[in-house]
Structure formats: structure tokens, C-alpha cells
Amino acid sequence: TLAPSHLDRTFPLEPFSRTLKKSEPDGDGQLDFEEFVHYLQDYEKDLKLVVKSVDKRNADGINSNEFAKSLCDLGVRVSLKDAEKVLQSMDKNGMITINSKDWNNYSTVEKTENIPEIILYWKHSTIFDVGENLMVPDEFSAEEKQTGMWWRHLVSGGGAGAVSRTCTAPLDRLKVMMQVYGSRTNNMCIMSGLMQMVRDGGVRSLWRGNGINIFKIAPELALKFTAYEQIKRAMGSNNQTLSILERFAAGSLAGVIAQSTIYPMEVLKTRLALRKTGQYAGVMDCAKMMFRKEGLRAFYKGYVPNMLGIIPYAGIDLAVYETLKNTYLQRYSTSTDPGVGVLLACGTISSTCGQLASYPLALIRTRMQAQAVTGGSNHVTMSGLFRHIVHTEGLTGLYRGLAPNFLKVIPAVSISYVVYERIKTQLGVTSR
């Protein structure tokens, strides 16, 4: 007799386990030879049905056009040349077509009971939080929305972001300090900046502004996801996977909507990170003092550069991520599974490229938010501040604080991944 664990190396364990209950009538959790034969026969029937559903010409075989079209219907776009390569790897008679027998004899690392299961491994790979949450929202399948898995992924991502931001908060506050106070005369480095913060308010001061930074995760995730889904419906793409360009457009617009709503929290975060010891009693005290002294407009200082920064960040991050992942799969992988390490590397590199492109706008945004703190003019424009920085500090002045920002990327992504997987497990989300 055979148990599922005996077949783990040869057959797909998860679909096999699901089929086991149907294949063995005695329900003893063991599979004898006769029951195993029935399982193989059922599996072969399923393969024939898959081939028949893809075969539009009723020719008892699939050609490269049909194969590419079926993948496109699932949201996976491949060229005709790549489709032919896949068929050639399975084709035994040299006709560049495959039938159910060819498919069944094809040796794969892990067969799947349903073709869309292949794509699910790539889902939810952009959830990792690096502090600047301007990424394009995640994609969720219709099944995940119906079963409630979507909110479990969002909760897991939010929890991972909270832990990640807390662990890297000292570096985030140091970045803000260097962006605002750094200059040619005050060339603040990482160690001197950290020591200055500790001298001013002790070790706890390294986490100033972190509370509201965590608090804004939930509304930002919820608003971005909701807006993204509504924009997809408006684009007529409710029931199909979006192209990269469509994801970029929908994700950028969703980011603008979410950021516009929670932007006052961004300003408060900056003010709290820059505050002196005893300056504010808390978040509400800071908000009241800002409103009394500067009015309602103070809560939207730096709004324009912040919105403009979403476009290069989201666009470059998404484009680089997809390009790196697809290039790796085409050149180095014989499987549809790119591996966790590859996904993490692609996410880290793409996020770094996105931050490099949008960083000058982020620096100008932070300086505009902090104008009242530094004693500068309250009427400085984005273009005026840009020219002033380039004139007085050179182009390198637009990248002050970049070092601590990059230092936190790898630990932030790593911490997010570990916590994300732990929370997913606790909430009953199955990983692929």
C-alpha cells in the first residue's frame, strides 16, 4: 500500500491528496494497487479533457497558436516562438503539436491539476513593505475574492509592514533628518546623525514618528485596493489579468487616490520625526498646533511632488520587476516556479530603481513639509526649491539621505517576507 508521503517525489502531492479521498473507498488513508490504477486512469482522463478544451480545431492535438492563445486567456502572455519551444520539449513525433499522450509523458518538476495554479505562485509578490508604499496594488483572483483570501493577504501585508517599519524606523527618521538638515556645511553622516538623535532624546527618540507611520498602513492599503478594483472595472478589465501598462495606469491612479486621502498623516509623520524633545504632547497636539499656526494648507504641503513621485516609482518598480522575473524564467529556469530567492531579489532591485528615480521628488516633498520647522519661507514652490538645492548643493543635494534609505531596503523586505508568511499561516492562507 502507498501513503501520500511515498508519492511526494513523483506526483503532485496536493492534488493527489485531494484525489485520495475519492480514489480509496475504504477511507483508511492508504492506497492499494487497484486504487492507485484508478487514480492514474482518472488523471489521464483529466489530461484528455484539458487537451480537448484547448484544441479548437478538433484535430486531437494542440499547435503553438492554440497553446499561446490558451495561456493568454489565463493572463500569461507568451510569444509564438516561446510556445513552440514548450511544445517541442513535449512533442515526440516532430509535428510541433502535442496530444494528451505527449502531455502525460512530459516530465515536469511539479504537475498541477489545474493550469491556473501555475500562475498563483507569482501572485502577491509585491506586498513587501520598504517604507515608501507607492507600489502597484496586488492582483487577486475571483476565487480568492469569493473565499475571503484577499483580505487575509491584505491583513498579512499590513502586519508585515507594521513590524518592518518599526524595525527600520531609526533609519527612516535618520533619512528625514538628513533630507531636511543636511547641506554642504552640515554634512551629516549615518553615525553622527544617529548620535545626534540619541543625545537629543535618548534611544526612544530614534522611533519618533513611527506610531503614525504604522497607523496609516491600514487606511492606505484599504483605499488603494478598493480604488484599484474600481478602476479595473472602469477600464473593462474586471475578469482578465491586466497588462503591465494597464496595471501601471490603474495602480498609479489608485495610489494618487489613497495618498491624497492619507496625505495629512504623511505631513504629521515628518513633523513628529523632526520634533525636539517636549515640543509636542502627541499626534493630536501636533495637528492642533499646525492648524492654529499655519492653517489647513499646512497638511498638504509637498502634495504636488509627492503625487508626481508616484508615477516614476510605480512605473519603474513594476516594469523592472516584471522584466527581471521574466528574463530569469526564460534564460535560467526550466520550471514555472522562479523561487522565493529570485522573487525577493527582483523585488529588492526593482524597488531600488524606483526609489532612485523618485527620490529627488521625495526630498523636495519632505523639505516643503518641514518649512515651518526649519524657519524657511512658507511660500516656496516646488520648482523654486529644486533650483535652490541644485544651485547651493549641486545635483548630489537632491539625494541627501539616500544611504540610510538604501540600508533599510534589504532588512525591510526580509522582515516583511518572514512576518508576512507567519501571519498568512496563522490566518490559514496556503502558500504555493
Side-chain angles (χ1 to χ4, degrees), residues 325-370:
K325 184 183 72 178
N326 292 332
T327 300
Y328 176 84
L329 288 171
Q330 289 174 6
R331 293 188 180 181
Y332 304 109
S333 181
T334 56
S335 166
T336 55
D337 178 352
V340 173
V342 174
L343 291 178
L344 280 176
C346 292
T348 303
I349 294 170
S350 62
S351 173
T352 300
C353 293
Q355 288 190 58
L356 273 174
S358 63
Y359 194 83
L361 288 167
L363 181 136
I364 290 171
R365 174 202 69 192
T366 304
R367 288 207 178 180
M368 292 179 75
Q369 291 172 343

Side-chain angles (χ1 to χ4, degrees), residues 214-224 258 261-262 265:
I214 293 172
F215 180 76
K216 69 185 177 69
I217 290 175
E220 186 175 11
L221 271 176
L223 284 165
K224 190 183 287 187
T261 308
I262 60 101
M265 294 188 200

Side-chain angles (χ1 to χ4, degrees), residues 224-236:
K224 190 183 287 187
F225 174 71
T226 304
Y228 186 60
E229 291 298 313
Q230 294 299 322
I231 293 165
K232 278 171 59 179
R233 289 193 183 94
M235 294 171 67

Side-chain angles (χ1 to χ4, degrees), residues 23-26 30-40:
S23 299
E24 46 113 18
D26 50 10
Q30 302 291 319
L31 197 68
D32 59 31
F33 180 75
E34 184 179 352
E35 291 169 342
F36 181 60
V37 170
H38 284 309
Y39 166 72
L40 292 179

